Amino acid sequence: MEIVIIFTIFFYLMSTAGYFAYLFLQKNYLNRAGYFLLIAGFLCNSTAIFYAFLKSGQIPVHNLHETLVIVGWSIAGVFIIFQYKFNLRIFGIYAAPLAAIVMVFASQVSSEPVQIKNIVNNFWLIFHIISIFIGEASFVLAGGLGFMYLAQEHAIKTKKHGFFFRRLPSLELLDTAGYTCIVVGFTMLTIGLATGLVYAKMVWGKFWSWDPKEVWSGITWLLYAALLHGRLTVGWRGRKAAIMAIIGLAALLFTFFGVNFLLKGHHGEFTRL
Amino acid sequence: MLDIVLLGLNHKTAPVELRELLAFSKEEAVSVLGGLQKCPDINEVMLISTCNRVEVLLTTSNSISAVNSVKTYISEFKKIPISKFEEALYMHDGEEAVRHIFRVASSLDSMMVGEPQILGQIKDAYLTAILKKTSGVILNRLLHKTFFVAKRVRSETGIGDHAVSISYAAIELARKIFGNLEGKKVLLIGAGEMAELAVEHLIRNRTGEIFVANRTFERGVELSNRFKGKAIRIEEIPDCLKLVDIIISSTGSPNFVIVSNQVKGVMRSRRNRPIFFIDIAVPRDIDPDINRLNNTYVYDIDDLKGVIEENIKDRSRESIKGERIVDEAVIRFQQWFESLGAVPTIVALRNKIDSIAKTEINKTLQSLNHLSDNDCQAIYRMTNSLINKVLHDPTLFLKSNGCHGDRSAYIDLTRKLFKLDD
């Protein structure tokens, strides 16, 4: 199975190289090469997950290794769909290396599965995991778009039109794309949290147990809810939306990793080394 | 030996007053071509005349007398003494003439490097020459290569990228903010050539409604009719800010026409949709503090000039790549052109037939083992004299002046007929 992970990393790195070459040389075939290499990597990545699923009969999220493999997979997958829809070419320099780095980390941590008690493998759990990962990958992309928006806005405001100004798309496109990512992410996160609650009720007998993971997930959810609310009512867009997307990303990363490493809770096993 | 000669003057060598005097209209160009065609020393000729240059491209076997004929002809045609424009003329021949026409068509020699019109103008000039039948094998090939090189330079370098005029630079910026300009509403405050040009560019980008505000309402109505827009009064501007996305201001007002607080007030009702101010006026019309507000962008004339300067620097960097493409093409063209001499063609023809004969003799002799060495020698001799006899008349024809001055056409035909160029 190691070999499939190595192929995945290889394709993601090649894709990264393609996107960076595109950044400098601006030749369209490089962008396409980056895209197809990423798809190739994604297929390898899917194979690895599917194999692990067949072997254990459960969604493979039983240790940090398996979790990171799914993180890389969802970033690549969401980005592939996103790129297909928006054709935001330069964005590959964010998503491809990110997927590659995550996979490299995944390959470096031990892959001994942790025995988890009290796991009931049912529809709610699978739904919970998949929608949470897709939602979080969307938020990761939204954060990246936020950075790009700020960079482009800075160039326009300060009237210093450098390397990135030429290559980055219009503010409007960055803003709409970021908004779309947040809407998708929020929808998936909501579904993920709801299914999680149902699952908790079924397995532990109560919806909410004030576990740190639950609390921080709730905080993240509220943050993105506020962002969307602001946009729909008073038109928080542009710079403000971009900054919020980045803050949201920070909260998300803390919820995902920070809570598990610093605080204790019932999701701890999934990121155990 | 035939030569390609280019004689001309351009914006670098001649002041505009002189260029105006020498510029040829399309009709004039036709009759000039007809006249030059009659000159005994000129084989093929074409005339390029734009507002920045007048150039005559010709092939001749006597370049000095051909150049003199052209000078005399132009001087008589335009009724200007030769001495008046001789100083401004430059003359290139051979490789340099080829390089010059390549550079001109690729817009490397233009006043504004990378401007796209010149290629079309050369195409028109070539078309005129074709219709007048003044172009032949060499100019046809040269011009086709020219168009090819110009296209390559345009597509492989960034020579034509990014605006180099104020109004285009403003449109490019608007695109960086709004992406698609379709349906975006525009407000023009004041009037002026540059501002009106910018509005026209915007309309070409299919923007939405156009509002025009002017100190004198009548003038505003007049302008708005031109743009099929709507005239508003100066006092209505603050209300209008709620609607419009792009504001172009060019008034003579000594004070700011729009101040920061007015914009701050409307951002909420705009739901923070971005707003882009283009301030072409001196003194400025738009309060520069507006640029500090969220989702508002202000560019004044100096900012736009700065953008253009950067773009011009970029273009000249890119033109280095263009020069390399031109150099390559010149070398390749020269190879073809040199092959057009009579001697290399005759030699190539002879070599080809010799090698065919040699192969065939070897094949035949292999099956004729009973022949003595003397017999073989006789066969060789016979073949050689056969080749000499066959090639005698074509050789004389290609060497003689019986081609009526259009030797290159026959040489080209010979090379094609015997496939000598592989």
Side-chain angles (χ1 to χ4, degrees):
Chain A
M1 205 60 299
E2 275 300 296
I3 189 78
V4 183
I5 300 285
I6 288 168
F7 267 114
T8 309
I9 293 172
F10 172 75
F11 281 125
Y12 285 167
L13 285 175
M14 289 299 286
S15 165
T16 307
Y19 279 120
F20 271 93
Y22 174 71
L23 174 68
F24 286 99
L25 302 175
Q26 298 281 290
K27 298 276 183 246
N28 200 20
Y29 65 88
L30 292 170
N31 171 55
R32 294 195 69 75
Y35 188 58
F36 286 116
L37 284 164
L38 195 70
I39 291 178
F42 177 72
L43 292 177
C44 286
N45 204 339
S46 309
T47 314
I49 294 170
F50 190 65
Y51 180 79
F53 179 74
L54 283 186
K55 221 167 79 174
S56 67
Q58 289 177 343
I59 289 215
V61 284
H62 297 151
N63 56 25
L64 189 59
H65 170 78
E66 291 179 345
T67 308
L68 285 177
V69 169
I70 293 204
V71 169
W73 176 81
S74 34
I75 289 174
V78 171
F79 175 74
I80 286 166
I81 297 167
F82 172 88
Q83 176 87 329
Y84 180 77
K85 175 135 173 44
F86 283 97
N87 196 19
L88 217 158
R89 290 176 183 165
I90 195 183
F91 200 32
I93 61 161
Y94 174 75
L98 203 62
I101 289 168
V102 169
M103 291 306 288
V104 169
F105 270 114
S107 68
Q108 294 307 310
V109 298
S110 85
S111 53
E112 272 306 301
V114 180
Q115 278 311 310
I116 301 153
K117 297 159 209 99
N118 240 350
I119 282 277
V120 182
N121 195 37
N122 66 8
F123 166 79
W124 295 107
L125 180 69
I126 295 175
F127 218 52
H128 168 68
I129 292 170
I130 293 205
S131 45
I132 287 276
F133 274 100
I134 291 177
E136 295 190 339
S138 305
F139 286 141
V140 169
L141 292 191
L145 288 166
F147 282 118
M148 287 191 178
Y149 184 95
L150 291 183
Q152 184 69 319
E153 209 225 12
H154 180 77
I156 293 178
K157 281 263 188 196
T158 58
K159 291 145 193 176
K160 289 198 181 76
H161 299 173
F163 182 81
F164 279 99
F165 173 78
R166 296 262 152 96
R167 286 163 171 79
L168 284 170
S170 67
L171 291 178
E172 180 72 28
L173 181 59
L174 288 170
D175 188 55
T176 337
Y179 175 61
T180 311
C181 281
I182 288 185
V183 169
V184 170
F186 186 74
T187 313
M188 296 314 276
L189 185 68
T190 310
I191 294 172
L193 289 183
T195 47
L197 293 184
V198 173
Y199 176 80
K201 174 77 180 162
M202 284 166 62
V203 179
W204 297 306
K206 50 184 175 181
F207 284 111
W208 189 267
S209 50
W210 292 106
D211 173 88
K213 191 76 164 185
E214 290 173 0
V215 173
W216 276 93
S217 296
I219 290 172
T220 311
W221 186 86
L222 283 176
L223 210 62
Y224 282 111
L227 201 171
L228 285 177
H229 177 79
R231 181 160 188 129
L232 292 173
T233 53
V234 286
W236 276 1
R237 51 191 296 148
R239 190 184 164 77
K240 226 177 219 169
I243 292 173
M244 284 290 278
I246 293 168
I247 294 174
L249 179 62
L252 184 82
L253 288 177
F254 183 74
T255 310
F256 197 88
F257 294 111
V259 169
N260 288 27
F261 292 133
L262 304 176
L263 311 166
K264 297 226 176 315
H266 60 57
H267 279 73
E269 302 87 350
F270 308 128
T271 49
R272 190 160 295 157
L273 283 164
Chain B
M1 179 67 197
L2 211 57
D3 204 357
I4 301 173
V5 176
L6 184 137
L7 184 72
L9 49 84
N10 66 13
H11 54 94
K12 287 175 202 156
T13 64
V16 64
E17 300 80 32
L18 184 56
R19 301 202 306 268
E20 274 167 1
L21 283 178
L22 286 172
F24 294 93
S25 70
K26 198 150 188 187
E27 293 71 36
E28 283 175 325
V30 171
S31 59
V32 169
L33 285 181
L36 289 175
Q37 203 175 19
K38 292 197 189 85
C39 295
D41 291 309
I42 296 173
N43 293 356
E44 304 174 27
V45 62
M46 69 176 279
L47 171 73
I48 301 160
S49 174
T50 73
C51 54
N52 279 335
R53 63 181 71 244
V54 176
E55 300 194 337
V56 178
L57 182 63
L58 54 88
T59 63
T60 173
S61 30
N62 184 347
S63 52
I64 297 168
S65 96
V67 165
N68 282 331
S69 317
V70 172
K71 283 184 195 166
T72 323
Y73 187 88
I74 289 177
S75 135
E76 281 166 11
F77 190 93
K78 286 284 183 187
K79 300 187 178 59
I80 308 165
I82 294 183
S83 59
K84 221 178 152 189
F85 62 86
E86 206 172 19
E87 288 273 287
L89 284 177
Y90 45 80
M91 187 200 120
H92 301 297
D93 60 349
E95 199 180 307
E96 284 314 305
V98 173
R99 185 186 315 279
H100 185 83
I101 186 77
F102 283 178
R103 291 186 71 243
V104 170
S106 314
S107 195
L108 292 166
D109 195 50
S110 301
M111 190 185 269
M112 178 51 66
V113 171
E115 56 96 3
Q117 283 89 2
I118 185 68
L119 182 57
Q121 288 162 334
I122 293 182
K123 277 185 179 162
D124 284 344
Y126 175 55
L127 195 67
T128 314
I130 289 182
L131 293 177
K132 278 302 272 182
K133 297 201 173 57
T134 64
S135 72
V137 179
I138 296 175
L139 283 196
N140 286 345
R141 175 113 176 180
L142 177 58
L143 268 293
H144 284 128
K145 288 290 155 197
T146 304
F147 301 144
F148 177 74
V149 170
K151 270 190 205 135
R152 244 194 97 188
V153 169
R154 188 149 290 272
S155 62
E156 290 180 23
T157 73
I159 194 174
D161 293 354
H162 306 302
V164 286
S165 74
I166 297 275
S167 44
Y168 263 118
I171 306 301
E172 262 188 21
L173 273 165
R175 284 177 171 287
K176 277 287 181 192
I177 295 168
F178 298 107
N180 195 344
L181 297 183
E182 212 169 305
K184 296 280 176 272
K185 297 192 175 73
V186 179
L187 168 63
L188 171 64
I189 307 173
E193 197 188 340
M194 232 187 293
E196 288 164 35
L197 206 58
V199 173
E200 275 162 22
H201 290 323
L202 283 170
I203 291 172
R204 233 169 283 141
N205 280 292
R206 297 200 302 213
T207 44
E209 212 172 344
I210 311 262
F211 298 91
V212 179
N214 205 290
R215 197 164 41 85
T216 47
F217 189 65
E218 289 68 32
R219 172 92 177 100
V221 171
E222 203 179 290
L223 265 176
S224 66
N225 285 339
R226 217 180 94 203
F227 300 129
K228 298 191 182 64
K230 191 177 162 201
I232 60 165
R233 294 189 182 278
I234 287 280
E235 303 78 48
E236 290 178 280
I237 289 175
D239 279 333
C240 199
L241 289 178
K242 288 176 194 161
L243 292 175
V244 297
D245 307 290
I246 300 168
I247 290 145
I248 301 169
S249 191
S250 168
T251 75
S253 156
N255 305 317
F256 293 141
V257 177
I258 299 174
V259 293
S260 188
N261 278 336
Q262 287 173 323
V263 179
K264 210 172 182 178
V266 298
M267 281 321 274
R268 205 179 161 89
S269 66
R270 290 180 60 82
R271 296 167 58 80
N272 284 311
R273 274 180 296 113
I275 185 164
F276 179 33
F277 294 89
I278 303 161
D279 186 357
I280 309 183
V282 179
R284 289 178 289 182
D285 286 344
I286 312 288
D287 185 353
D289 281 348
I290 294 174
N291 196 40
R292 294 220 195 103
L293 301 174
N294 268 344
N295 299 321
T296 59
Y297 308 92
V298 180
Y299 272 71
D300 64 33
I301 186 97
D302 282 358
D303 299 332
L304 291 170
K305 277 185 186 150
V307 171
I308 291 175
E309 263 165 44
E310 278 302 306
N311 291 348
I312 291 175
K313 270 188 219 153
D314 262 26
R315 281 191 177 194
S316 52
R317 266 197 296 275
E318 288 296 310
S319 71
I320 297 168
K321 284 188 215 160
E323 298 284 357
R324 178 175 47 74
I325 294 173
V326 166
D327 285 347
E328 278 173 31
V330 169
I331 292 170
R332 237 175 286 139
F333 185 82
Q334 278 307 106
Q335 280 168 352
W336 174 81
F337 184 67
E338 273 157 22
S339 76
L340 275 191
V343 176
T345 306
I346 291 167
V347 169
L349 183 60
R350 182 148 198 125
N351 286 344
K352 172 137 186 178
I353 294 183
D354 271 345
S355 78
I356 293 172
K358 209 173 258 167
T359 339
E360 292 308 315
I361 288 175
N362 286 343
K363 247 194 241 168
T364 312
L365 288 186
Q366 264 173 8
S367 54
L368 295 174
N369 292 328
H370 59 276
L371 291 182
S372 69
D373 273 2
N374 273 346
D375 295 338
C376 291
Q377 289 305 323
I379 289 180
Y380 276 120
R381 273 197 302 279
M382 185 207 68
T383 316
N384 266 337
S385 63
L386 204 60
I387 293 172
N388 286 339
K389 290 264 156 64
V390 169
L391 286 183
H392 180 71
D393 285 335
T395 309
L396 274 190
F397 177 77
L398 289 176
K399 273 187 178 166
S400 75
N401 292 320
C403 313
H404 303 292
D406 201 6
R407 193 203 315 252
S408 49
Y410 289 102
I411 288 178
D412 191 54
L413 179 68
T414 310
R415 299 191 76 89
K416 281 185 187 138
L417 208 54
F418 289 94
K419 234 180 156 190
L420 299 179
D421 280 321
D422 294 337

